[in-house]
């Protein structure tokens, strides 16, 4: 098995199509064969109860989920920081935003009790989580860190 050339299946967050992308090309801005959207964009993708599982479970890269709500001041403060971290890690991780008020099933699945809360997933499995607003550099460092790595 050649992990550099073996294709990875990436689900398009825009249209739901499954795309085969060689592992070595994941960092080369792959686009959806059906709708043309970026598969691993450098900005957060909005997901909800209807499409969260389908997109996240198939991701060949780590997924960083920001659970937030529009009425939450710290969530609004962190939104641009989260977007900057997504731009820094384009092609290396998929950054997802889930409105916890509008998507109660996904929020309940992860036991979200305070927001903002970020959850790091790999193959749909939770690796780590952190609550509270953080600057972009700290979000990116946390997203890159192995599961269970100490946080400052």
């Amino acid at each position: 098995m050649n992990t550099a050339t073996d294709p990875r299946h990436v689900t398009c967050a825009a249209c739901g199509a499954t795309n085969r992308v060689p592992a070595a090309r994941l960092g080369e801005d792959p686009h959806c064969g059906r709708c043309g959207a970026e598969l691993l964009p450098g900005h957060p993708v909005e997901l909800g109860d209807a499409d969260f599982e389908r997109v996240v479970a198939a991701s060949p890269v780590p997924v960083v989920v920001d659970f937030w709500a529009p009425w939450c001041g710290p969530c609004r403060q962190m939104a641009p920081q989260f977007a900057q971290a997504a731009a820094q890690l384009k092609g290396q991780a998929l950054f997802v935003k889930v409105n916890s008020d509008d998507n109660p099933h996904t929020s309940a699945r992860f036991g979200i009790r305070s927001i903002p809360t970020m959850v790091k997933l790999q193959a749909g499995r939770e690796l780590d989580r952190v609550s509270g607003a953080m600057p972009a550099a700290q979000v990116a460092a946390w997203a890159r860190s192995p599961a269970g790595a100490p946080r400052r």
Side-chain angles (χ1 to χ4, degrees):
M1 181 168 167
N2 185 345
T3 58
T5 58
D6 287 344
R8 301 292 188 259
H9 292 99
V10 183
T11 302
C12 178
C15 73
T18 300
N19 294 264
R20 290 177 51 163
V21 180
R25 298 196 63 208
L26 286 173
E28 297 177 12
D29 295 331
H31 287 75
C32 178
R34 180 188 294 166
C35 73
E38 284 184 277
L39 294 174
L40 299 172
H43 59 81
V45 175
E46 292 277 343
L47 294 179
D49 289 342
D51 54 5
F52 183 87
E53 204 53 49
R54 180 182 72 232
V55 172
V56 169
S59 179
V61 296
V63 178
V64 179
V65 185
D66 175 22
F67 288 93
W68 70 287
W71 52 263
C72 169
C75 297
R76 289 194 315 269
Q77 280 184 311
M78 194 174 108
Q81 304 301 314
F82 193 72
Q84 286 178 18
Q88 290 174 17
L89 296 178
K90 180 178 180 173
Q92 300 170 45
L94 178 62
F95 281 70
V96 170
K97 292 187 73 69
V98 174
N99 182 328
S100 58
D101 286 345
D102 294 344
N103 301 286
H105 296 307
T106 304
S107 296
R109 173 185 167 208
F110 289 97
I112 301 303
R113 290 181 177 80
S114 66
I115 52 175
T117 292
M118 289 188 302
V119 177
K120 184 172 22 175
L121 307 168
Q122 182 70 54
R125 187 175 65 77
E126 182 174 338
L127 298 178
D128 200 5
R129 73 171 51 208
V130 63
S131 294
M134 296 190 289
Q138 193 175 356
V139 173
W142 176 78
R144 283 188 198 108
S145 69
R151 294 185 286 274
R152 295 180 193 182

